[in-house]
Amino acid sequence: MHTPHARTIRRATAFPLVVAAALTAAALPSASAASTEATGPGTDYAVDDPFTSDRTSWFRQDRFGMFIHFGAYSNLEGEYTRPDGTVCRNAEWIQRECNIPKEEYEKQAATFNPADFDAEAVVNAAKDAGMRYIVVTSKHHDGYAMWPTKVNSWNLRDHSAFDKNRDILAELKQAADEAGIKLGFYYSIWDWHDPDFPDRATFPAYEERMYAQLKELVDNYDPELLWFDGEWDTDRPHNPWTARDGERLEEYLRDLNPELIVNNRVGKRRVTDGDYGTPEQEIPDEPVDGQLWESCMTLNNSWGYARHDQNWKSSASLVRNLLSTSSRSGNYLLNVGPDARGRVPAPSVERLGEMGDWLRTAGQGEAVYGVAYGGLVEQPEWGTVSRKGDKLYAAVTQWPEEGGSLHVTARTGFDVTGARVLGSDQEVAVTEAGDGYDLTPTGAATNEAATVIELTVDPGPTAAPGEGSGLKQEVFDNPTLSGAPKLTRTDPTVNHSWKYTGSPAADIPADSFSVRWTGSIEPRRTETYTLSTLSDDNVRVWIDGEPVIDNWSPHESHIDEAQVNLTAGTRHSIKIEYVEQTGEAHMKLLWSSPGQEQQIVPRQQLHPN
Ligand code: FHN
């Protein structure tokens, strides 16, 4: 089912050892299924570099996905009539926000019958939109499972009016597989229904059921991605979830399937949790440091179906959102909310089709799929610029007046060797102008959403990959880098997530240790590089003997940056000093430059002397 993934060798996962009385042994993944050996010193949770690994390649290429919010709340279609006759409106939060008593909510769920749910139609709508992956709610905050879980009877199979021979997640998986669309599951940690959830004392019993459900989902439906939610500190009910819980869950999932992609809400929505960040209903103004990212957004204002919410976004604004996310190396996860019968609202399908039309017209999709941050140029006011190899895609949303031009400000030296408007045979003049180039089209914009000017560029010399082996690493079993190092070795990359329980080696404690890396760093381009450290706790960095980063005090996961001028082929000396005081421990070294996408500094470019 999964090709074993080359991974950092780690000690296997501890499994919550509390046995939940409510479950039969059959429903529980047996403790032996996950090693009983607890993780601990010597464990490194960094599995690879999400910016470059094969495991995340599809996520970084696809750029555009469908979110589906579908659950027992959909049965109310956004409206609840209180006993006093007043109407309360919400969507997927309706039970909590309208104070529906648990028994009454269960009673309405028993009438839920999404008989018209048509997985093929849903997948076709996604495909027609140009979406390449789907994330569907398997369990939202109300705790209602949308698959025939064996863990409890609060689910679509056992508590509904739906056909007991159907399994909509299985139907969706089959339709997605046949269409070549990847499938992921949203799963809420926060659970309003499970009585063991709110109290830390009984939380392990809930956690055991949660692990069992997640194992069902991974084993039975083979998702490519898990989209956690409900990780934040809140009440009604109290949410006891901690970063330490997230560490353990993430480790468990990666042992279930090393190929899984997991979002940062598996922990506490930080840059060190999971594989990618999850801005919601917003798009970051620029590429996100330290982590992949995906912006999730509604088509109207509601995630779950709400009859009253007809405030649909225009397809032009949706296309522009997609161009904004992909041109900043992000993904766009756009939501649909099927109604009580399981039908995707027509206004949603219509707008998705219009987005797909734009992507399919004149190869405009090239400006989205597989692109990343423009890098070579500053982000313009008149639209967005994304990059894929020797192409820059200038997606223009403010077309110049006749004879007018569009200016691109160069961030590094590069030549423009070609320019054309996708979908038009008009000429585009490219002239050097001040700090960049002026692009002067000779015709009209081709559409309302965005007209794409494809530039062919020569980004200048990039040296061949180096032959480095990594940096010299000295590990001290004290927080002061003092005395003889306990361990000296070559570290291929500075890419470590020791978290709460791990450390650089089995005989190094999880707290109160320090590390020094020395050697040289060899860039492939002569440019101003942004060096980024992602650290918890202290960190300081020298390049060519000069201090460039100094955050020498205990801190939570934090990204520090330095702009350094590096010369291709030159081995610039580097020294990094790091201390783990207590709690979580993380230390990563990344770089980016106008011509280099963000990544963990690769082994080939690091030398131990
Ligand atoms: O509370 C949820 C909400 O219902 C919805 O699922 C969004 C989508 O990501 N997430 C949470 C709010 O941040």
Side-chain angles (χ1 to χ4, degrees), residues 64 127-130 314-324 326 350-369 371 384 386 393-397 421-423 445-453:
F64 188 24
K127 207 165 175 68
D128 193 36
S314 71
S315 57
S317 67
L318 295 165
V319 166
R320 293 180 182 189
N321 286 344
L322 176 58
L323 289 163
S324 294
S326 53
E350 182 186 327
R351 281 152 182 78
L352 294 180
E354 291 164 358
M355 292 182 79
D357 290 343
W358 186 90
L359 288 164
R360 281 183 291 273
T361 300
Q364 290 172 150
E366 288 303 308
V368 169
Y369 302 121
V371 304
T384 60
S386 57
Y393 295 98
V396 184
T397 55
V421 175
L422 300 186
T446 60
N447 69 89
E448 181 206 351
T451 296
V452 177
I453 300 176

Side-chain angles (χ1 to χ4, degrees), residues 41-186:
T43 302
D44 187 342
Y45 294 97
V47 293
D48 56 27
D49 172 11
F51 288 100
T52 58
S53 73
D54 292 342
R55 177 176 65 90
T56 61
S57 176
W58 71 261
F59 184 81
R60 291 179 282 112
Q61 296 302 311
D62 288 358
R63 291 292 180 228
F64 188 24
M66 174 186 273
F67 215 171
I68 303 175
H69 274 69
F70 191 37
Y73 44 83
S74 310
N75 196 36
L76 291 165
E77 298 201 333
E79 291 190 358
Y80 166 67
T81 303
R82 297 189 185 93
D84 64 7
T86 57
V87 176
C88 177
R89 287 179 164 177
N90 196 280
E92 74 285 351
W93 277 56
I94 195 164
Q95 179 188 358
R96 184 178 186 269
E97 297 308 289
C98 297
N99 296 304
I100 303 175
K102 186 171 184 176
E103 299 68 29
E104 185 171 344
Y105 190 76
E106 291 173 346
K107 192 174 164 189
Q108 74 79 20
T111 69
F112 185 31
N113 181 13
D116 294 339
F117 181 83
D118 178 344
E120 275 191 41
V122 172
V123 169
N124 287 339
K127 207 165 175 68
D128 193 36
M131 293 163 155
R132 299 212 167 157
Y133 63 102
I134 292 173
V135 178
V136 61
T137 49
S138 65
K139 186 198 86 161
H140 206 266
H141 307 329
D142 61 3
Y144 189 80
M146 291 297 280
W147 79 97
T149 178
K150 291 183 170 47
V151 168
N152 60 35
S153 59
W154 181 232
N155 65 73
L156 182 59
R157 170 66 56 82
D158 300 324
H159 194 110
S160 74
F162 190 47
D163 178 345
K164 295 197 179 306
N165 296 309
R166 290 185 61 182
D167 175 346
I168 65 165
L169 295 194
E171 293 168 16
L172 209 45
K173 172 65 178 176
Q174 180 175 349
D177 283 354
E178 288 168 1
I181 298 264
K182 288 112 189 153
L183 182 64
F185 294 136
Y186 166 112

Side-chain angles (χ1 to χ4, degrees), residues 67 69 92-93 140-141 186 227 229 232 265 269 280 296 303:
F67 215 171
H69 274 69
E92 74 285 351
W93 277 56
H140 206 266
H141 307 329
Y186 166 112
W227 210 101
D229 203 6
W232 59 90
R265 301 187 190 186
R269 212 179 295 198
E280 182 172 316
C296 60
W303 298 101

Side-chain angles (χ1 to χ4, degrees), residues 437-459:
Y437 293 92
D438 280 350
L439 313 177
T440 309
T442 54
T446 60
N447 69 89
E448 181 206 351
T451 296
V452 177
I453 300 176
E454 176 200 76
L455 299 177
T456 302
V457 297
D458 174 355

Side-chain angles (χ1 to χ4, degrees), residues 181-193:
I181 298 264
K182 288 112 189 153
L183 182 64
F185 294 136
Y186 166 112
Y187 188 94
S188 175
I189 295 163
W190 193 28
D191 190 307
W192 302 339
H193 193 268

Side-chain angles (χ1 to χ4, degrees), residues 149-469:
T149 178
K150 291 183 170 47
V151 168
N152 60 35
S153 59
W154 181 232
N155 65 73
L156 182 59
R157 170 66 56 82
D158 300 324
H159 194 110
S160 74
F162 190 47
D163 178 345
K164 295 197 179 306
N165 296 309
R166 290 185 61 182
D167 175 346
I168 65 165
L169 295 194
E171 293 168 16
L172 209 45
K173 172 65 178 176
Q174 180 175 349
D177 283 354
E178 288 168 1
I181 298 264
K182 288 112 189 153
L183 182 64
F185 294 136
Y186 166 112
Y187 188 94
S188 175
I189 295 163
W190 193 28
D191 190 307
W192 302 339
H193 193 268
D194 192 307
D196 287 325
F197 181 85
D199 184 338
R200 192 74 214 180
T202 56
F203 188 76
Y206 163 76
E207 210 173 14
E208 188 86 14
R209 288 190 280 275
M210 177 176 77
Y211 275 59
Q213 286 196 325
L214 290 167
K215 188 174 191 318
E216 288 178 344
L217 289 171
V218 171
D219 288 352
N220 301 338
Y221 303 95
D222 192 21
E224 269 91 358
L225 179 147
L226 290 179
W227 210 101
F228 286 93
D229 203 6
E231 85 294 338
W232 59 90
D233 298 339
T234 185
D235 60 11
R236 292 183 55 217
H238 170 67
N239 188 344
W241 191 251
T242 67
R244 180 72 183 83
D245 296 327
E247 171 178 322
R248 192 170 51 240
L249 176 57
E250 188 173 344
E251 174 65 8
Y252 172 67
L253 295 168
R254 297 202 189 285
D255 282 331
L256 278 185
N257 174 7
E259 295 300 304
L260 268 181
I261 293 179
V262 179
N263 75 347
N264 66 349
R265 301 187 190 186
V266 67
K268 296 298 267 188
R269 212 179 295 198
R270 304 165 304 169
V271 67
T272 48
D273 295 322
D275 296 304
Y276 69 93
T278 52
E280 182 172 316
Q281 303 287 38
E282 61 176 2
I283 296 171
D285 293 334
E286 53 190 27
V288 171
D289 282 344
Q291 219 176 19
L292 303 178
W293 64 275
E294 168 199 76
S295 172
C296 60
M297 207 171 277
T298 51
L299 267 163
N300 49 9
N301 295 323
S302 308
W303 298 101
Y305 181 76
R307 193 184 309 125
H308 62 273
D309 183 351
Q310 296 302 319
N311 183 22
W312 304 102
K313 298 176 178 72
S314 71
S315 57
S317 67
L318 295 165
V319 166
R320 293 180 182 189
N321 286 344
L322 176 58
L323 289 163
S324 294
T325 53
S326 53
S327 65
R328 295 164 194 161
S329 300
N331 287 18
Y332 191 41
L333 188 66
L334 187 55
N335 182 74
V336 298
D339 64 15
R341 300 283 297 172
R343 298 165 299 196
V344 178
S348 300
V349 175
E350 182 186 327
R351 281 152 182 78
L352 294 180
E354 291 164 358
M355 292 182 79
D357 290 343
W358 186 90
L359 288 164
R360 281 183 291 273
T361 300
Q364 290 172 150
E366 288 303 308
V368 169
Y369 302 121
V371 304
Y373 174 49
L376 301 177
V377 299
E378 298 290 355
Q379 295 194 81
E381 296 296 323
W382 40 256
T384 60
V385 179
S386 57
R387 180 181 177 194
K388 184 164 43 184
D390 69 346
K391 297 290 190 277
L392 288 182
Y393 295 98
V396 184
T397 55
Q398 297 170 33
W399 198 252
E401 298 299 320
E402 188 172 348
S405 62
L406 303 160
H407 185 71
V408 287
T409 299
R411 297 181 65 235
T412 186
F414 69 94
D415 295 328
V416 179
T417 59
R420 69 188 180 105
V421 175
L422 300 186
S424 163
D425 56 9
Q426 65 181 280
E427 295 294 318
V428 181
V430 179
T431 51
E432 290 195 43
D435 60 1
Y437 293 92
D438 280 350
L439 313 177
T440 309
T442 54
T446 60
N447 69 89
E448 181 206 351
T451 296
V452 177
I453 300 176
E454 176 200 76
L455 299 177
T456 302
V457 297
D458 174 355
T462 300
E467 297 178 350
S469 58

